[in-house]
C-alpha cells in the first residue's frame, strides 16, 4: 500500500527553534562512505547529550516536523514504525468504509491520512519519552573484577579450569577461574582475581590470605 518512502538523514544540523524547545542539535546517522549502518539508524536518537552550543542557524521546515512529531528524542525507527502503522490503519478503515479500496478516491484518502496519522503518532509516542529516557540502551556496564576477592567453588589442580563466586556491586557473580601459577586451590578457599584471560573467558586467580 505504501512504498517508495525514503528519508535522507545525512545531515549536520544545529537547531535553534521555538517548538516547545530551544536547542542546538548535531545529527549523526552513522553513514560513512555511502555505506549505511542499519543498526545505528534503527537506534538513531537525538538526546540532550547531542546538544551543542556553537553556531546557530535557522531550522528547515522538515527538521521542525522531525522534532515536533517525536522523530527526535525517541528511537527513530520506533516513531517511524508507529507512524506507518497508524497511517495504514487509518487508510484501511477509511477505504473499507467508503468501499474505495481499488479506486482513485481510495488513493486520495490514503494521501490525506498523512497529516492526521502524524498527529496521532505524536499523541501515541509522547508517553514513551520518559520510558526511553530512563532505558539503558547500552545494557549493563561491564564490571571490573580484577583485584576483587571471591570464593572458589571448585578444587583446582595444575591447569584445571573451575568456577568461583564473586560479590560485586551487590551482585553475586559466578565466573570461570584458573590458578595463576598452577597453585592448588581447594573448594571454599578464598581467592584473589589477578587478571582476565586474553579471550575473556576466565580469570587467573590465586589464594587470598587476609
Amino acid at each position: 500500500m505504501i512504498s517508495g518512502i525514503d528519508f535522507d538523514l545525512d545531515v549536520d544540523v544545529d537547531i535553534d527553534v521555538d517548538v516547545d524547545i530551544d536547542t542546538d542539535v548535531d545529527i549523526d546517522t552513522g553513514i560513512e562512505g555511502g555505506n549505511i549502518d542499519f543498526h545505528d539508524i534503527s537506534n538513531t536518537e537525538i538526546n540532550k547529550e547531542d546538544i551543542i552550543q556553537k553556531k546557530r542557524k535557522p531550522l528547515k521546515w522538515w527538521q521542525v516536523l522531525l522534532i515536533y512529531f517525536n522523530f527526535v528524542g525517541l528511537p527513530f525507527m520506533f516513531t517511524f514504525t508507529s507512524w506507518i502503522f497508524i497511517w495504514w490503519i487509518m487508510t484501511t478503515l477509511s477505504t473499507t468504509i467508503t468501499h474505495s479500496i481499488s479506486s482513485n478516491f481510495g488513493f486520495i484518502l490514503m494521501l490525506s491520512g498523512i497529516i492526521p496519522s502524524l498527529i496521532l503518532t505524536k499523541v501515541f509516542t509522547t508517553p514513551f519519552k520518559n520510558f526511553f529516557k530512563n532505558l539503558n540502551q547500552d545494557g549493563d556496564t561491564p564490571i571490573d573484577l580484577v583485584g576483587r576477592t571471591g570464593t572458589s567453588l571448585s578444587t583446582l589442580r595444575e591447569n584445571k579450569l573451575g568456577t568461583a563466586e564473586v560479590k560485586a556491586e551487590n551482585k553475586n557473580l559466578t565466573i570461570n577461574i584458573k590458578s595463576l601459577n598452577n597453585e592448588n586451590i581447594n573448594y571454599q578457599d578464598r581467592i584473589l582475581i589477578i587478571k582476565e584471560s586474553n579471550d575473556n573467558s576466565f580469570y587467573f586467580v590465586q589464594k587470598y590470605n587476609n
Side-chain angles (χ1 to χ4, degrees):
M1 181 182 297
I2 302 171
S3 62
I5 298 177
D6 183 17
F7 284 87
D8 182 5
L9 293 178
D10 187 8
V11 294
D12 182 7
V13 182
D14 293 327
I15 297 177
D16 181 12
V17 59
D18 187 17
V19 185
D20 297 332
I21 57 175
D22 183 12
T23 59
D24 291 334
V25 180
D26 185 9
I27 302 177
D28 183 7
T29 62
I31 302 177
E32 296 183 1
N35 295 323
I36 302 176
D37 188 335
F38 288 98
H39 176 73
D40 289 342
I41 289 180
S42 66
N43 292 285
T44 298
E45 180 180 351
I46 303 174
N47 300 309
K48 291 183 179 180
E49 291 77 11
D50 301 312
I51 298 173
I52 56 175
Q53 300 295 331
K54 296 181 181 179
K55 51 191 177 182
R56 294 175 177 266
K57 293 187 287 188
L59 193 65
K60 298 179 181 178
W61 65 269
W62 57 268
Q63 295 165 350
V64 174
L65 291 179
L66 287 177
I67 296 172
Y68 185 74
F69 290 111
N70 290 342
F71 288 93
V72 170
L74 288 171
F76 177 81
M77 286 306 297
F78 172 77
T79 305
F80 181 76
T81 302
S82 298
W83 171 46
I84 294 299
F85 182 74
I86 292 173
W87 186 10
W88 174 76
I89 290 292
M90 292 181 60
T91 302
T92 300
L93 291 176
S94 61
T95 54
T96 299
I97 293 173
T98 58
H99 303 285
S100 57
I101 295 177
S102 301
S103 66
N104 291 333
F105 182 66
F107 182 73
I108 294 174
L109 287 177
M110 182 194 74
L111 294 181
S112 63
I114 294 178
I115 299 302
S117 63
L118 281 172
I119 295 174
L120 289 178
T121 298
K122 177 179 175 63
V123 173
F124 172 74
T125 58
T126 296
F128 289 91
K129 282 190 172 182
N130 287 335
F131 171 77
F132 282 104
K133 181 179 180 181
N134 297 324
L135 183 66
N136 184 4
Q137 298 179 359
D138 298 326
D140 293 334
T141 304
I143 300 175
D144 186 10
L145 298 180
V146 176
R148 296 180 183 271
T149 61
T151 303
S152 175
L153 300 179
S154 306
T155 298
L156 303 184
R157 297 288 185 270
E158 297 180 349
N159 204 33
K160 181 181 177 181
L161 191 68
T163 60
E165 184 179 72
V166 180
K167 187 172 184 179
E169 298 183 6
N170 296 322
K171 298 178 181 178
N172 289 323
L173 308 175
T174 300
I175 60 173
N176 294 323
I177 61 171
K178 184 180 289 188
S179 179
L180 178 64
N181 299 313
N182 294 330
E183 175 188 17
N184 291 341
I185 298 178
N186 298 319
Y187 175 72
Q188 291 295 308
D189 277 353
R190 296 288 293 171
I191 53 98
L192 175 66
I193 301 174
I194 304 302
K195 63 179 181 179
E196 191 172 7
S197 64
N198 293 331
D199 59 1
N200 301 322
S201 62
F202 64 91
Y203 291 87
F204 288 101
V205 302
Q206 66 182 32
K207 281 187 178 182
Y208 177 71
N209 297 318
N210 292 331

